[in-house]
Amino acid sequence: MPLVTTKEILTKAVAQNYAVPHINISNLEHFDTILSTAAKLKSPIIVAFTTGLIKYYGDEILEGLCSAASKKYQIPFAVHLDHHKDPKDIFTRIKKNKYITSVMIDASLVDFEKNVAITKDVVEFCSKKGISVEAELGAIQGTEDDHSSADAFYTDPNLAIEFIKQTKIDALAISIGTVHGCVTKLAPSLDLKRLEQLRKTTTIPLVLHGCSGLNDEQIKTVVSKGIAKINIATEFKVVFHDGLVKYLHEHPTETDSRLFFGAANKNVKNLLESKIKLFNSENKG
Ligand SMILES: [Zn+2]
């Protein structure tokens, strides 16, 4: 099916109170496993490319993947550029890859006025092409792929209202205590009151990044309180790595990469199935 925007996917998620998984793609194997698993459970899905992934494979390979997947899988899915900091990068990528339906401009580390100005530029460009724009207000701590931030600044609900009004973005990434790159399951303390206030005072879909470190109860709580898009990257990298290491440890002379990648992908598939059920996005595609 033709790809859809995250705006379309998330509007439905907000209305029906479930969350859509946003998975950062690490490699080519990973891409197809994510899509085929979502298709099996009929869940909408957002596959995300970071600048690091694009640098690694190049635009042509990634466009080819998106094109093939749009023919093969009959579920609503969006191809999203994650944590792009330079609007020029976004504009170049969109010109090169006609399958991109969604972008995130992350100007969260500059001051409010500059964040508004940069984000507005991206919205102006993307809205003409029917591409959704997510932006971040506040800053999420931690490291994820080629993106890192040392300090966390929680999202101010009053500024969020102003930010959305001025920029006309389609979705807002908020900072309420999650950490990028965290899989310790130490249950980061979440500012749920802030989330409730943000949900009450804004109308667009709210996005939570850095969710690898949240336990199942926390995920259920943030979904029930209105988070419509949940970004997960690190947890998928960890299970892929663990599957690969275990298989090669048990079969040290195996040279058929389809077998050891197959074992790694099985972990990815199982993890995504559990997330789709937890987010309640099964059969919503
Ligand atoms: Zn993120």
Side-chain angles (χ1 to χ4, degrees):
M1 87 166 17
L3 275 76
V4 295
T5 62
T6 49
K7 185 180 180 181
E8 185 178 329
I9 289 178
L10 297 181
T11 302
K12 202 176 153 198
V14 170
Q16 297 183 26
N17 194 211
Y18 60 87
V20 178
H22 156 128
I23 312 296
N24 285 84
I25 301 303
S26 300
N27 57 52
L28 304 184
E29 290 281 324
H30 197 178
F31 181 89
D32 194 54
T33 306
I34 295 296
L35 263 304
S36 61
T37 306
K40 188 182 150 214
L41 295 188
K42 297 188 171 58
S43 168
I45 191 102
I46 298 159
V47 292
F49 300 161
T50 59
T51 51
L53 183 89
I54 295 165
K55 221 178 275 173
Y56 188 77
Y57 284 114
D59 293 292
E60 295 79 6
I61 295 284
L62 295 174
E63 188 185 36
L65 275 183
C66 300
S67 165
S70 72
K71 289 177 192 122
K72 185 174 175 186
Y73 297 110
Q74 301 305 307
I75 46 163
F77 77 97
V79 175
H80 179 79
L81 297 179
D82 195 27
H83 282 295
H84 276 54
K85 290 182 177 300
D86 184 347
K88 282 190 210 128
D89 272 351
I90 291 179
F91 305 156
T92 307
R93 296 275 95 82
I94 287 172
K95 282 174 194 159
K96 286 187 174 175
N97 185 335
K98 61 178 184 293
Y99 292 91
I100 292 162
T101 58
S102 173
V103 304
M104 178 195 191
I105 175 68
D106 178 0
S108 60
L109 294 181
V110 298
D111 63 39
F112 181 82
E113 282 74 23
K114 267 194 200 149
N115 190 351
V116 167
I118 294 169
T119 303
K120 267 173 89 168
D121 267 359
V122 174
V123 171
E124 202 184 304
F125 180 90
C126 289
S127 61
K128 286 181 199 144
K129 296 180 181 297
I131 293 171
S132 304
V133 179
E134 173 185 331
E136 181 173 321
L137 189 63
I140 299 155
Q141 196 185 352
T143 303
E144 179 188 290
D145 201 18
D146 55 349
H147 171 80
S148 70
S149 168
D151 299 307
F153 305 97
Y154 285 14
T155 308
D156 178 329
N158 292 322
L159 281 182
I161 298 170
E162 201 47 41
F163 186 73
I164 294 164
K165 198 171 123 193
Q166 290 191 35
T167 60
K168 300 189 170 52
I169 49 169
D170 300 297
L172 179 69
I174 58 170
S175 175
I176 56 165
T178 53
V179 179
H180 275 132
C182 173
V183 281
T184 57
K185 302 292 176 198
L186 287 176
S189 71
L190 296 177
D191 188 342
L192 294 172
K193 285 234 154 40
R194 191 177 294 265
L195 170 57
E196 281 168 13
Q197 211 183 336
L198 281 160
R199 186 59 295 167
K200 212 182 292 174
T201 53
T202 60
T203 52
I204 63 171
L206 298 177
V207 178
L208 203 54
H209 287 234
C211 295
S212 290
L214 301 186
N215 63 36
D216 288 0
E217 278 316 303
Q218 288 179 308
I219 295 271
K220 275 187 203 162
T221 304
V222 297
V223 174
S224 74
K225 290 184 185 297
I227 290 291
K229 173 174 177 274
I230 293 185
N231 288 30
I232 300 188
T234 310
E235 208 174 345
F236 281 91
K237 287 183 194 167
V238 169
V239 297
F240 187 87
H241 163 271
D242 291 352
L244 199 57
V245 168
K246 185 171 182 284
Y247 190 91
L248 287 172
H249 183 72
E250 288 166 0
H251 308 85
T253 58
E254 182 57 66
T255 57
D256 186 344
S257 58
R258 285 166 298 195
L259 293 178
F260 46 77
F261 281 142
N265 278 325
K266 201 171 170 203
N267 281 3
V268 169
K269 175 178 169 284
N270 291 342
L271 181 62
L272 183 57
E273 282 183 359
S274 71
K275 296 296 179 195
I276 286 172
K277 287 175 202 281
L278 191 59
F279 299 178
N280 200 23
S281 65
E282 188 177 7
N283 292 322
K284 306 292 196 309

